Amino acid sequence: MRRLYVLAVKEVKELIRDRYVLFSVILAPLLVLPLLLGVSYLAVREAGGALEKAIRELPGNVAVVLEDPGDEMALEVARRLGARVEASVEEAIARYPAVVVLHSNFTKNILEGKPATVTITSRVERPYSLVEVAVVTFLAQGLRDVVSIVLMERFNVDPRLIRTPVIVESKVLYKGELLEGSRLAQLYILNMGLAFIIFILGVIALQVGTLSMGIERESRTLELLLMLPISRVELIAGKVLGVSTISLMGFASFLVGLSITILLAPVLFAEGFEGIQQPQTTMQWSPIGLIEAFRTTSVTSVVAVVASIAVAMISTTIVGILVGVLLAGDIRGALVSGSYVALILAIPLMVEMMGLSLPTPLQIAFITSPMYPPFKTAQMIVFGETGLATAYAIATLINVTMLLAITVLMVKSERLIYGIRLRKPRVET
Amino acid sequence: MDPGEPLLSVVNIVKRFGGVTAVNRVSFDVRAGEVFCLVGPNGAGKTTTLRIIAGLIEPDEGYVVFEGRRQPWGPDVRRLIAYIPEDAGVYRNLTGFEYLEIMARLYLGERWEDAVRRAAEISGLGVRLRDKIGGYSRGMKRRLLLAGALMINPRLLVLDEPTAGLDVTHATAMRRMILDYVRGSGAAAVVSSHNMLEVSYMCDRVSLINRGVIVESGHPRELLERYRVENLEEVFVRVTGGGL
């Protein structure tokens, strides 16, 4: 029993004093989930509040245009919506965030079993925001519900007997241009895709960067590398270039895997999960949809997206190398610590992928994440918010410069050879 | 540089780690065509001294001059120095040829092909150079590293325990490679060792180092005569009083 105790004490002492164990077994698991939960909670709370407010204010903020001003059911729908009746869409959309056009023969079509048609034109400022997209979707659904209620109460018709009482066509007024509703979904997906690409590529780049340092340490090749007749900047640049190549290969491999999954999933689950049909949504996305969304954006946006992906990958690689210098004594340490740091730094991207935004204090806190400011810069350029795009571009520039400066300072022979120690340095003579 | 001047001068270097002084006022000169050996037990300060000479770490006090230029050196001077640490590793997934080619390209640029051919010959590894280095024995790895270091025609070789852990065949081959190069090129070598036989065999001059301090210096034969003993181990014991 005594020997068992001594063995256990040896094990605990040896493990707990290891920097890698301290970070990856104790500190990181303690941080990752609460941090993800905390950030998501704050983002969802903010979005929830905004959505609730928008929906609450919706009745007074909707105008209705009646193609047939005498149509009885259309008038009733307008009344129930709490909307003001206006003469034309062009005039109304300047004053209201949404205008509902109830087309002619509204009552006649429904009562004859043919669907009545409605066009909702919504003014959208930020198509990447879940709140705005949700309001558009909510309005369409709300309108269908109102029609059903009117059918039941005023005409004594069970709406379930009519297959499609109303066809709702959504249009979006975005930056003075009238777009089809599907374009809104496409823009939303574009944002999600951009966040997703930077998230995946960032996680891969950070891990490969950390791993490359872990391999150098474990193989004991650092001194050979440091003796090369090249400057420290060249050394880092060479490493970043090599690591980025591997990261891009990793990302391409991930994309191929994802595409196979997306192509195969509908075939394998053609009949749904055990016969349960999945609901159809307009927000489903695919690589082809994403390419299509990118294709339809401006050249500036495409350049911004490509540049932001490149900057995010390079900065994340540099962070990976730094994490490697700090935490990776060997390959296993590099892999685990790299994964945890990548997860922590990618939290804002996970939030953005859901169409949510970080509250301002958190945006400032995560400005040091190598993935977040490049993403925000591209996002703001794609969605035409020039002022914010400039601010995020400056933040990205400061970030990259700081990172490079820190790395050049950290990649000093002495630190690399002896490591950065939490305790008193070990004497190695 | 004056022909009479030493190629390398180490002047009063001090290096501390926390409260421990690993190297304490160490000074010596090394001339062209000379093999200079630092001899001492484990933890005497040999590796730290060599790392300072190689420019990998900075001394807290003192300085190092090579070819009339004081540290810190830029890439143009570092190109003339080859350093092989005692525990130097290798890129396991590269082949011997790939490793030599990368090193030659980095050091010599366009003139890399001849250097690789020369290194392949010096290493004596033959067709095994086509295999991944991960599969090499310790002796083969050391020979590859030394061949890679010699092919760049360094003016100064800094070798930390070059034959530690090698069998007689590999150790002899390594010593011959070092001596042939120094004698043939007029370069200099600073070698650390705790193997007194090796020191007698290849060193022109030797400094005994203990607890970071140089305690005795001279030609190996001169030291034996001065202390009237049979081998350098006895000299070391006499100088240090037997204690470490």
Side-chain angles (χ1 to χ4, degrees), chain A residues 215-216 218-232 234 331 412-414 417-418 424-429, chain B residues 15 17 20 22 43 45-48 51 54 56-58 75 78-79 83 85 87-92 99 103 106-107 145:
Chain A
I215 290 174
E216 297 278 4
E218 190 166 307
S219 311
R220 298 189 168 275
T221 43
L222 268 175
E223 283 173 286
L224 288 178
L225 205 63
L226 292 166
M227 278 305 290
L228 292 173
I230 51 173
S231 69
R232 261 185 273 168
E234 277 180 297
I331 295 170
K412 200 183 168 189
S413 316
E414 207 149 327
I417 295 167
Y418 296 112
K424 229 170 106 177
R426 184 164 55 100
V427 181
E428 199 182 306
T429 52
Chain B
K15 184 71 187 174
F17 294 104
V20 181
K46 303 188 298 287
T47 298
T48 304
R51 279 176 174 164
L56 285 172
I57 57 175
E58 290 168 17
R78 285 220 304 277
R79 178 184 304 279
Y83 169 57
D87 55 0
V90 283
Y91 294 101
R92 291 170 298 184
Y99 168 76
M103 287 295 155
L106 284 168
Y107 276 91
L145 283 171

Side-chain angles (χ1 to χ4, degrees), chain A residues 298-412:
Chain A
S298 69
V299 177
T300 321
S301 297
V302 173
V303 171
V305 165
V306 173
S308 75
I309 291 171
V311 171
M313 185 180 69
I314 289 168
S315 332
T316 318
T317 303
I318 297 173
V319 172
I321 292 171
L322 271 177
V323 172
V325 172
L326 281 165
L327 292 169
D330 53 20
I331 295 170
R332 90 200 147 124
L335 272 175
V336 182
S337 49
S339 308
Y340 274 122
V341 174
L343 272 180
I344 291 172
L345 293 178
I347 285 175
L349 274 296
M350 295 185 214
V351 170
E352 292 278 350
M353 255 193 279
M354 295 186 274
L356 302 174
S357 294
L358 296 182
T360 315
L362 281 178
Q363 287 199 17
I364 295 166
F366 273 107
I367 212 87
T368 45
S369 162
M371 307 171 210
Y372 188 56
F375 163 74
K376 288 304 277 186
T377 311
Q379 185 192 47
M380 292 300 137
I381 291 173
V382 169
F383 295 103
E385 295 185 29
T386 324
L388 280 170
T390 315
Y392 280 115
I394 293 168
T396 307
L397 199 69
I398 295 172
N399 222 359
V400 174
T401 316
M402 296 265 290
L403 265 177
L404 272 173
I406 294 170
T407 315
V408 170
L409 280 176
M410 291 291 273
V411 182
K412 200 183 168 189

Side-chain angles (χ1 to χ4, degrees), chain A residues 67-304:
Chain A
E67 271 190 4
D68 179 357
D71 191 300
E72 198 185 343
M73 197 185 294
L75 272 167
E76 183 60 18
V77 169
R79 197 183 64 78
R80 298 251 176 168
L81 277 173
R84 294 283 298 270
V85 178
E86 294 286 333
S88 77
V89 178
E90 289 72 24
E91 277 173 31
I93 198 69
R95 285 182 286 130
Y96 295 90
V99 179
V100 178
V101 180
L102 300 168
H103 294 285
S104 46
N105 297 328
F106 197 85
T107 313
K108 186 172 170 277
N109 280 348
I110 292 183
L111 294 179
E112 285 177 2
K114 286 188 273 181
T117 51
V118 175
T119 306
I120 302 176
T121 307
S122 310
R123 214 170 52 221
V124 169
E125 315 258 314
R126 298 181 304 154
Y128 52 88
S129 158
L130 180 68
V131 175
E132 292 200 17
V133 176
V135 169
V136 174
T137 317
F138 179 83
L139 186 55
Q141 188 52 48
L143 190 92
R144 284 192 193 94
D145 292 346
V146 166
V147 171
S148 297
I149 291 167
V150 170
L151 271 171
M152 272 195 300
E153 289 186 7
R154 288 291 300 269
F155 296 89
N156 221 6
V157 175
D158 187 342
R160 284 172 298 183
L161 297 175
I162 303 170
R163 199 163 181 249
T164 317
V166 64
I167 290 176
V168 180
E169 192 191 354
S170 280
K171 289 199 169 175
V172 177
L173 187 73
Y174 173 55
K175 295 200 177 298
E177 215 181 317
L178 201 60
L179 309 169
E180 291 299 319
S182 57
R183 180 73 184 137
L184 178 66
Q186 210 176 40
L187 288 170
Y188 184 76
I189 286 163
L190 178 75
N191 180 64
M192 195 197 271
L194 180 60
F196 181 75
I197 288 171
I198 294 183
F199 168 68
I200 296 293
L201 194 57
V203 169
I204 294 174
L206 201 134
Q207 283 184 325
V208 183
T210 318
L211 195 59
S212 83
M213 284 308 297
I215 290 174
E216 297 278 4
R217 278 251 170 81
E218 190 166 307
S219 311
R220 298 189 168 275
T221 43
L222 268 175
E223 283 173 286
L224 288 178
L225 205 63
L226 292 166
M227 278 305 290
L228 292 173
I230 51 173
S231 69
R232 261 185 273 168
V233 175
E234 277 180 297
L235 189 73
I236 296 162
K239 222 173 208 335
V240 168
L241 201 65
V243 169
S244 300
T245 311
I246 296 290
S247 304
L248 283 174
M249 284 163 71
F251 182 65
S253 172
F254 177 84
L255 277 190
V256 172
L258 180 72
S259 304
I260 292 170
T261 312
I262 287 172
L263 288 172
L264 277 183
V267 179
L268 294 175
F269 297 108
E271 291 179 7
F273 295 96
E274 293 173 15
I276 303 164
Q277 285 290 334
Q278 293 301 299
Q280 292 293 314
T281 69
T282 51
M283 290 299 168
Q284 282 174 343
W285 76 285
S286 66
I288 292 163
L290 190 59
I291 290 165
E292 181 62 17
F294 274 117
R295 204 180 59 78
T296 45
T297 56
S298 69
V299 177
T300 321
S301 297
V302 173
V303 171

Side-chain angles (χ1 to χ4, degrees), chain B residues 77-95:
Chain B
V77 176
R78 285 220 304 277
R79 178 184 304 279
L80 304 172
I81 300 172
Y83 169 57
I84 304 182
E86 182 191 356
D87 55 0
V90 283
Y91 294 101
R92 291 170 298 184
N93 295 315
L94 296 181
T95 67

Side-chain angles (χ1 to χ4, degrees), chain B residues 4 38 41-42 59 74 93 118-119 134 151 155 164 177 204 206 223-224:
Chain B
L38 259 184
N42 296 332
N93 295 315
R118 201 165 58 246
M151 78 177 167
R155 291 282 294 143
M177 282 162 78
D204 297 311
V206 56
L223 290 176
L224 297 180

